[in-house]
Amino acid sequence: MSHAQPPSTSRAPKTFGFRVLQVVLVVLILWNMALLPLGCVSMGAGNPTDLRWATCHVTDATAERTNDDEHPWRIVIDSEDCPTLVYTDGLTEDNADELAGTFEQAPYEVRVHESAIDVDGGIRYAKELKIHSYRPAPEIAD
């Protein structure tokens, strides 16, 4: 009587090429896991890092509807000594006119991309400039 041998459960030996492919995949996965957080930190995770304050004397501010789905409203700020300034953050149909009405004819500090600021602190070469934030300029004591 002959007894049948059970089928072998051993796997074929892994080749050198397969081992190299495994190492490459592990290295790529680890590399990407390391770069993702470093990329977010170095880019500021969406926060602009190259902004500076400049001073502009505001003369008028008006709210306008736009065709931009991301920013449907904007405040256009006219100034004596700066190009037309545009502010869009957090504006809605309900608050745009009210916020535009808070601007007085006075100096304001506006936060803009540093490439738009001259060495002397003035704003240069822009027909229309997006501002990221603003505040009344501090009064200078005589």
Side-chain angles (χ1 to χ4, degrees):
M1 201 181 229
S2 84
H3 292 284
Q5 293 280 336
S8 174
T9 58
S10 65
R11 294 184 175 167
K14 295 182 180 171
T15 63
F16 178 73
F18 184 77
R19 295 263 185 214
V20 169
L21 183 60
Q22 278 185 318
V23 169
V24 168
L25 287 174
V26 167
V27 168
L28 284 173
I29 290 169
L30 292 174
W31 181 258
N32 283 326
M33 288 172 60
L35 287 181
L36 182 63
L38 290 174
C40 289
V41 168
S42 69
M43 293 175 58
N47 295 327
T49 57
D50 49 357
L51 300 177
R52 288 188 35 209
W53 290 100
T55 303
C56 298
H57 192 278
V58 171
T59 57
D60 191 29
T62 55
E64 292 182 353
R65 179 180 281 284
T66 71
N67 292 328
D68 183 359
D69 290 337
E70 187 176 348
H71 301 289
W73 287 89
R74 70 185 199 158
I75 296 177
V76 178
I77 304 164
D78 296 321
S79 164
E80 290 177 0
D81 47 359
C82 294
T84 300
L85 305 171
V86 176
Y87 182 75
T88 59
D89 296 342
L91 296 178
T92 65
E93 184 175 4
D94 295 333
N95 71 3
D97 283 325
E98 182 180 345
L99 189 58
T102 64
F103 282 90
E104 299 175 4
Q105 291 188 3
Y108 282 81
E109 291 182 327
V110 293
R111 198 148 186 228
V112 297
H113 192 274
E114 69 183 354
S115 66
I117 300 177
D118 280 329
V119 176
D120 65 354
I123 295 181
R124 61 180 169 188
Y125 68 82
K127 181 179 178 186
E128 193 174 272
L129 186 62
K130 179 178 174 27
I131 62 173
H132 296 271
S133 54
Y134 61 90
R135 62 187 179 201
E139 293 185 27
I140 300 173
D142 291 319

